[in-house]
């Protein structure tokens, strides 16, 4: 299976897509991974952006229900979720102040603790509507993709 994922074009495409769906890693890891595997840039870009965006509407719509369900299960989950919501509220300050543009900026910064997952969580916690949150997050993902492209191809040197 691993050989197939790294040796065929379809496997590379699927691997890039799923890596980009993963929280924390997201597009920041998926796009360079797809390019490193030898995917053509437009194909790697499309797989990474789509993979990064797939969980967004589900997070915005369902995360509060998931949190409520988990909180009922144990005190441990309640503590973890409370901490996560506090972080989301802190990151949400910029979003509250600048609305959709703030959400876009939060998602666009390709650093740990930002990205589409965080943006979707902040949008859910702040009760943003899908029709304003998704375009902002998508634009942020596209900006992050541009930044990661420049980093991957050596146009921007970090550190």
């Amino acid at each position: 299976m691993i050989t197939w994922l790294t040796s065929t074009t379809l496997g590379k495409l699927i691997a890039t897509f799923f890596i980009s769906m993963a929280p924390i890693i997201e597009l920041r890891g998926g796009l360079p991974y797809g390019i490193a595997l030898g995917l053509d840039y437009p194909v790697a870009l499309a797989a990474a952006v789509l993979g990064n965006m797939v969980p967004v509407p589900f997070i915005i719509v369902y995360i509060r229900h998931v949190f409520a369900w988990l909180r009922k299960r144990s005190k441990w989950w309640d503590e973890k979720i409370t901490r996560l919501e506090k972080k989301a509220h802190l990151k949400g300050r910029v979003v509250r102040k600048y609305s959709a543009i703030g959400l876009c900026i939060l998602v666009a910064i390709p650093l740990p603790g930002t990205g589409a997952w965080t943006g979707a969580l902040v949008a859910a916690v702040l009760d943003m509507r899908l029709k304003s949150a998704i375009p902002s997050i998508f634009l942020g993902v596209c900006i992050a993709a541009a930044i990661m492209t420049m980093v991957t191809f050596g146009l921007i040197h970090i550190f």
Side-chain angles (χ1 to χ4, degrees):
M1 180 64 140
I2 298 295
T3 304
W4 181 79
L5 284 173
T6 57
S7 63
T8 66
T9 301
L10 181 60
K12 294 173 186 179
L13 184 71
I14 290 170
T16 301
F17 180 85
F18 281 111
I19 287 170
S20 297
M21 277 181 71
I24 302 169
I25 300 169
E26 299 187 42
L27 177 132
R28 295 176 291 256
L31 182 59
Y33 181 80
I35 292 168
L37 285 178
L39 283 176
D40 290 336
Y41 171 70
V43 174
L45 177 67
V49 169
L50 289 173
N52 203 187
M53 286 301 297
V54 164
V56 169
F58 299 101
I59 295 167
I60 295 170
V61 172
Y62 296 113
I63 197 67
R64 289 183 153 197
H65 301 292
V66 171
F67 283 175
W69 182 80
L70 287 171
R71 280 189 158 120
K72 290 178 187 175
R73 300 294 173 255
S74 76
K75 185 173 173 58
W76 183 84
W77 277 114
D78 183 42
E79 292 169 1
K80 299 294 181 200
I81 291 167
T82 300
R83 199 170 337 139
L84 188 61
E85 285 177 333
K86 283 181 184 176
K87 285 183 181 180
H89 277 289
L90 288 174
K91 291 178 188 278
R93 287 180 183 168
V94 173
V95 176
R96 248 187 250 108
K97 186 174 182 180
Y98 299 107
S99 191
I101 294 170
L103 183 60
C104 175
I105 292 167
L106 173 67
V107 174
I109 302 167
L111 294 172
T114 64
W117 279 74
T118 301
L121 176 62
V122 168
V125 167
L126 298 179
D127 289 323
M128 290 183 76
R129 300 187 51 82
L130 279 175
K131 69 180 183 177
S132 64
I134 289 181
S136 296
I137 292 170
F138 179 73
L139 182 58
V141 166
C142 290
I143 294 168
I147 294 168
M148 288 311 302
T149 298
M150 290 186 269
V151 170
T152 301
F153 288 113
L155 300 174
I156 295 176
H157 301 284
I158 297 178
F159 303 109

